[in-house]
Amino acid sequence: MSDGDGARLIAVRYARAFNVTVIGIVAVWHAGYDPVIITRGWPMYDPAAAVIAAWLLLAAAQAAGAALVLRSALDARAARALAAVTLAAGELAAAAYPPGAAISDLSWASNTVGWTGVMLLVRRPFREPVLFMLVNIGGTAAHMVLDGSLDHVAVTRLITVAYTTAGVQLTFAWLGGRLHGAARNATETAGRQAAGRARAAAEEAVHAERRRRYEYLRTRVRPVLHGLATGRMDPGDDAVRHRVALEAARLRRLFAETDDTPHPLLHELRACADVAERRGVAVTLLGYGDVPPLSAAARRALAEGPLLVLAAAATWARVTVVAGRGEVVVGVVADAAAKVAADVAAQPGGPAAPSVMHDREENRLWVETRWSPGGSP
């Protein structure tokens, strides 16, 4: 692992740890500390039902927010909606405080509202937690104005409480935002690197495939073209015509491998059949069943035996592709010479090694190749 990868992993882990920490603070404060204050001052609240409703509303907003945060599913709309519910619950609780108790041992909701806002808005721009805290403190100040307790001493106490509580909460929100920003950047960087590696792998595969095709052209097609061009090969010779037809079919199949079609194997076999049809061979191509996705190597192995038969067919050929029960079978029957059977049987063995049968009396050659996923090349 590189130093950059280690740093990104640390950032992601710290961001997750921060989420768990803030959720823990909210849970302990609301489920542990707030009930103590509420129980101790219960006779002083009016109406007391507003306190219970506010506590339950806060608990619901906290539970929903914590679940979304832990699943990384808290989007901007949900965060702002839950933050609004949290502020409303804080105002509902403050409405039940006795006059002059907006900042006292009875005012349990303000701190809980602040920590809940940190949990909900930590991944939002920092201005949103700041606005949340201002609204929370402004609500407290409004209640003090309404009950006539906002004098010079109360203003000093309000500033002190805002500095100590909201200041700590905003510091947490700022640190959490930085951690989440680092984790987000790490995730985006990792995604870009993965995409780059995928592109590099694809380019390497394309390059390797081009080299394979060039090597094929150099070793198989070039000698034929050179022989015809220099007169060393006689186009009137049956063996030369057969070789030309065979290499032409292989070239067509090679070109067809890169075509984007829903049925690549049938498409490549059709390309081979086209070459035979241009020689006057009547070719029938039939397909049964849904052919599963096959690699180019698997399609090549399946088609090589039938390709040899099509290149040697005299007047007719029938190609059949059957897919089912976890295998693909390609069979071809044609009026081809017996010597082609030996050429087909000489093909390298493997997952799609051909089965060959030749009927001498009717001069009919049958070749079949089979492929199954367990033997995929």
Side-chain angles (χ1 to χ4, degrees), residues 174-188:
W174 181 82
L175 290 174
R178 295 295 297 270
L179 286 173
H180 280 287
R184 182 170 56 253
N185 291 336
T187 302
E188 293 173 354

Side-chain angles (χ1 to χ4, degrees), residues 297-298 300-303 305 328 347-355 368-372 375 377:
R300 205 174 300 129
L302 277 168
V328 180
Q347 293 299 306
S355 301
E368 181 182 88
T369 52
R370 290 177 178 267
W371 174 90
S372 60

Side-chain angles (χ1 to χ4, degrees), residues 177-259:
R178 295 295 297 270
L179 286 173
H180 280 287
R184 182 170 56 253
N185 291 336
T187 302
E188 293 173 354
T189 301
R192 288 193 297 269
Q193 290 178 347
R197 288 192 294 267
R199 284 194 300 270
E203 291 172 358
E204 180 64 25
V206 170
H207 180 66
E209 184 65 16
R210 287 175 179 171
R211 289 183 61 87
R212 181 187 70 81
R213 292 175 183 172
Y214 173 77
E215 186 65 19
Y216 172 81
L217 293 173
R218 187 180 67 84
T219 58
R220 302 299 295 270
V221 178
R222 182 181 177 182
V224 175
L225 296 177
H226 185 265
L228 292 173
T230 59
R232 295 179 181 178
M233 300 177 69
D234 182 10
D237 188 349
D238 289 341
V240 172
R241 288 201 300 269
H242 171 69
R243 184 175 178 183
V244 170
L246 178 60
E247 297 306 331
R250 283 174 171 159
L251 275 177
R252 286 295 304 275
R253 187 194 64 199
L254 195 66
F255 297 149
E257 284 180 357
T258 60
D259 292 343

Side-chain angles (χ1 to χ4, degrees), residues 94-117:
Y97 297 161
I103 302 177
S104 67
D105 292 341
L106 299 177
S107 56
W108 60 273
S110 181
N111 277 340
T112 302
V113 168
W115 283 114
T116 305

Side-chain angles (χ1 to χ4, degrees), residues 102-103 135-147 149-150 158:
I103 302 177
V135 173
N136 188 29
I137 296 170
T140 301
H143 283 284
M144 296 174 70
V145 171
L146 292 175
D147 63 19
S149 62
L150 189 64
L158 179 62

